[in-house]
Amino acid sequence: MPYLHQYDYIFALGLIFAFLDSWNIGANDVANSFATSVSSRSLTMKQAMVIASLCEFGGAVLVGARVADTIRSKIIAVERFNDQPEILMLGMLCALVGSSTYLTIATRIGLPVSTTHCIVGGVIGVGIATIGADGVNWGWKGVSQVFAAWVVAPGIAGVLAAILFLITKHGIMKRANPLRNGLIAIPCYFALTSGVLTMMVVWKGAPALKVDRLSTGEVVGIILGVAFGIATLCILFLLPYLYRRLKLEDWTLHWYHALLGPMLLFRGPVPERPSEYTHQVVQDYYRGHMTKQQLAAAGISNTEADNFERERTAEGSVPTEKDEHHHPPKGAVTSNSGSNVDVESTMVTSTGTRPWYTPKNLWTKANYYFFRGVNHDPASEQSTAKSNPYLTGNLKDMHARTEHYDNKTEYLYSFLQVMTAMTASFAHGSNDVSNAMGPLATIYLIWSTDTLASKAPVPVWVLVFGGSAIVIGLWTYGYHIMRNLGNRLTLHSPSRGFSMELGAALTVVMATRLALPISTTQCIVGATVGVGLCTGDIKAINWRMVAWIYLGWFITLPCTGLIAGCLMGLIINAPRWGS
């Protein structure tokens, strides 16, 4: 039962702007978890959206409460508002307005920013406008801890990702028989990744599972049990499937044959492939990306190669995964450019000249507006350099500096990359739901009880509300930011993407354990740069794009602080009618 009915409008506006903030988190930060998987072609856009939806929502609801409490109560001294808690309600609303406004602009112009910066800047601006700079907790347990995480997180993620990739590169990819080494190592990688995900759930103390009361021995037992269990399942079911598919090149296998497990080893010899069967065992993960030797052999300069690649992609001559499987999904856009023009043209063709209110046209338009983001192909759009040429630079020259590895071995890491993407997405949901839901939880607490209790639990419906908004933003506009990451930073492949995502996920797991609201954007960018440096050529990284992203992080805090602080100052100091 609400206590402060006179401020119902603040609670209502808080719901609206918290939804907008969470929508932008999904639309902007989705690239942190899945841009690498889509860029390396380990996942299609639709597959990435389905997996991300489940993991983002699960992370937000299961393990998002502790970080939300950090954002709400550790930035400003809430006890200063004990006499007028309704002022803190208004302040949190202004913080949400400032954060969501800036995020909307940044998302629209394609600038990947830190959503953590946004809400923290908004809360700081409100604190300065109401109780002055001395009311903001600048100490290590407040803002300084967040600042330190922003500096340290990219470095840690870069180091962890580089270590993982160097082990993969020299232990597997550059060996005489990389496929054999990869088949031997893949159970270990699955054990490591599943252990990280289990570690997050158990350490974080998911409220719904009530595992925070377990002893240290029980926690260790659960983590090791899950890790070894997943590794055992991998050995029994996945390895026989991969051996027969990759080593024996069994063209008759389908994905569901993996359920047969060890029986696949007794399947018999592989039948002769029909001449009309053109399907490849694995796709070419480096298609559209030439090496230096290929550029030199073709006698094409770097500039000419860029123009040539753009023309090929625009004409639809660059093969896609859909082309290789010869069965594009119904209603999918087959043009590789993935531009809005192609999607809109499809809608116009479908609707024809019939009135807009006919059932078929209404269904077509609803499908277009709700699923238009899924019909884009960020991997192709990254390769066409369809953005500011100064930021993208010479992509063909940058990609040519990266070594290509065996495609069959890369295919092994596509499975691992899906798992690391799920881990990173789960971690992203657990951390970033707090950015919008922490202020909303404060508004709801004061509105319903007229009290301030910094240690009060965050309601489950608040986490569900935030997780749902993140998923909606991800589906409708997540592709826009995906285009600016991935291959526009450095060339991606499944083995590289796996190292990037797991390195970033490990960093986020550490932060979640410490209740430290770090930026997942910085983690994945730091991991990408770390893996890119492992090529031994600094020109294999697009430093212009890295600098552009860092510039966005630098201006985020003052921009959101100014918007929220000015709005709060205007409201509380505005003249009153009749006073």
Side-chain angles (χ1 to χ4, degrees):
M1 186 69 178
Y3 192 88
L4 299 177
H5 270 298
Q6 65 271 34
Y7 299 118
D8 287 352
Y9 67 94
I10 294 181
F11 176 65
L13 290 173
L15 286 173
I16 294 173
F17 283 100
F19 182 90
L20 179 60
D21 204 50
S22 295
W23 183 91
N24 276 288
I25 290 172
N28 202 298
D29 271 8
V30 64
N32 303 336
S33 299
F34 283 90
T36 51
S37 296
V38 175
S39 298
S40 65
R41 304 184 190 276
S42 293
L43 287 173
T44 64
M45 190 66 170
K46 288 184 179 180
Q47 291 170 340
M49 292 300 98
V50 172
I51 294 174
S53 299
L54 296 175
C55 294
E56 292 278 343
F57 187 82
V61 175
L62 288 177
V63 297
R66 184 181 300 175
V67 181
D69 181 77
T70 301
I71 286 286
R72 184 186 65 196
S73 60
K74 289 188 177 180
I75 303 302
I76 59 176
V78 294
E79 65 274 4
R80 300 279 292 272
F81 297 90
N82 284 333
D83 295 334
Q84 290 183 296
E86 63 274 9
I87 298 296
L88 184 59
M89 277 184 68
L90 178 63
M92 293 299 101
L93 173 61
C94 291
L96 286 173
V97 172
S99 175
S100 59
T101 300
Y102 177 81
L103 263 177
T104 302
I105 297 172
T107 303
R108 181 64 185 88
I109 65 176
L111 178 64
V113 298
S114 167
T115 55
T116 306
H117 283 78
C118 290
I119 196 62
V120 170
V123 173
I124 291 175
V126 167
I128 294 175
T130 52
I131 54 182
D134 60 330
V136 177
N137 186 0
W138 301 101
W140 175 248
K141 293 187 177 181
V143 178
S144 295
Q145 191 181 53
V146 178
F147 287 160
W150 295 341
V151 175
V152 175
I156 295 178
V159 170
L160 291 175
I163 292 173
L164 288 168
F165 181 66
L166 287 174
I167 293 174
T168 302
K169 176 181 177 181
H170 295 289
I172 298 173
M173 307 304 291
K174 300 193 73 172
R175 293 291 181 177
N177 193 340
L179 180 58
R180 182 199 63 187
N181 291 4
L183 289 172
I184 294 173
I186 193 172
C188 301
Y189 281 119
F190 268 103
L192 174 63
T193 308
S194 59
V196 171
L197 179 56
T198 308
M199 200 181 304
M200 176 183 300
V201 176
V202 176
W203 274 359
K204 192 69 175 62
L209 302 180
K210 297 182 180 180
V211 295
D212 53 336
R213 301 174 185 174
L214 298 177
S215 65
T216 302
E218 290 172 328
V219 169
V220 173
I222 291 174
I223 294 173
L224 294 179
V226 171
F228 284 110
I230 295 295
T232 302
L233 291 175
C234 175
I235 294 172
L236 292 177
F237 293 96
L238 185 59
L239 281 186
Y241 171 80
L242 292 175
Y243 174 79
R244 189 162 184 91
R245 178 182 175 91
L246 301 178
K247 186 69 175 178
L248 303 182
E249 297 189 355
D250 190 345
W251 59 275
T252 64
L253 282 185
H254 297 281
W255 64 267
Y256 49 81
H257 285 127
L259 299 176
L260 296 176
M263 289 186 290
L264 287 175
L265 300 176
F266 305 97
R267 191 178 172 89
V270 179
E272 185 178 352
R273 182 179 304 185
S275 59
E276 66 272 10
Y277 188 85
T278 59
H279 175 67
Q280 300 297 319
V281 176
V282 295
Q283 63 172 309
D284 182 5
Y285 292 102
Y286 295 99
R287 64 177 179 267
H289 305 295
M290 298 182 182
T291 62
K292 284 185 176 181
Q293 293 76 12
Q294 290 171 335
L295 288 176
I300 302 175
S301 66
N302 294 333
T303 303
E304 291 172 339
D306 271 338
N307 295 334
F308 175 69
E309 188 62 32
R310 281 195 291 269
E311 291 172 2
R312 290 178 63 205
T313 305
E315 294 170 0
S317 60
V318 179
T320 65
E321 186 175 357
K322 298 186 184 73
D323 299 327
E324 293 182 4
H325 287 274
H326 301 291
H327 52 82
K330 184 178 179 180
V333 179
T334 57
S335 172
N336 291 322
S337 64
S339 64
N340 286 337
V341 176
D342 296 324
V343 181
E344 291 169 1
S345 300
T346 302
M347 186 186 72
V348 172
T349 303
S350 301
T351 56
T353 57
R354 296 184 299 272
W356 65 270
Y357 50 81
T358 60
K360 187 173 182 179
N361 279 3
L362 288 175
W363 170 254
T364 300
K365 290 187 176 182
N367 184 68
Y368 165 73
Y369 286 113
F370 283 104
F371 298 104
R372 62 189 295 265
V374 183
N375 291 327
H376 283 262
D377 184 3
S380 296
E381 293 178 16
Q382 291 165 354
S383 300
T384 58
K386 188 190 172 183
S387 68
N388 189 330
Y390 179 78
L391 291 179
T392 55
N394 192 335
L395 289 179
K396 192 56 57 182
D397 176 65
M398 180 183 74
H399 292 164
R401 298 173 182 272
T402 303
E403 186 176 0
H404 293 192
Y405 299 122
D406 177 57
N407 265 298
K408 290 183 179 179
T409 311
E410 291 282 8
Y411 179 74
L412 297 177
Y413 287 91
S414 66
F415 291 90
L416 286 164
Q417 194 174 7
V418 172
M419 196 167 187
T420 54
M422 293 172 64
T423 306
S425 182
F426 192 88
H428 175 267
S430 68
N431 269 272
D432 284 47
V433 70
S434 65
N435 296 344
M437 294 303 107
L440 179 61
T442 300
I443 294 173
Y444 174 74
L445 176 67
I446 298 172
W447 175 70
S448 58
T449 65
D450 192 25
T451 59
L452 291 176
S454 60
K455 294 300 181 181
V458 178
V460 175
W461 73 264
V462 171
L463 298 175
V464 172
F465 179 76
S468 301
I470 288 176
V471 169
I472 294 173
L474 185 155
W475 273 80
T476 55
Y477 210 52
Y479 71 92
H480 193 56
I481 293 296
M482 278 191 181
R483 294 184 297 204
N484 287 345
L485 297 178
N487 290 320
R488 287 184 176 174
L489 285 174
T490 190
L491 181 62
H492 283 53
S493 66
S495 61
R496 294 178 175 88
F498 158 72
S499 303
M500 296 171 190
E501 291 175 355
L502 187 57
L506 284 168
T507 307
V508 175
V509 166
M510 294 168 55
T512 304
R513 172 62 177 158
L514 298 173
L516 186 65
I518 66 166
S519 166
T520 50
T521 306
Q522 289 184 339
C523 288
I524 195 63
V525 172
T528 302
V529 172
V531 171
L533 289 173
C534 292
T535 61
D537 190 340
I538 62 172
K539 291 185 178 181
I541 300 171
N542 186 354
W543 295 105
R544 296 178 185 178
M545 185 63 72
V546 174
W548 169 250
I549 294 173
Y550 265 87
L551 176 63
W553 297 340
F554 181 76
I555 66 174
T556 295
L557 197 68
C559 286
T560 55
L562 282 173
I563 296 173
C566 290
L567 181 61
M568 185 68 180
L570 285 172
I571 294 175
I572 63 177
N573 295 296
R576 268 42 171 199
W577 178 261
S579 60

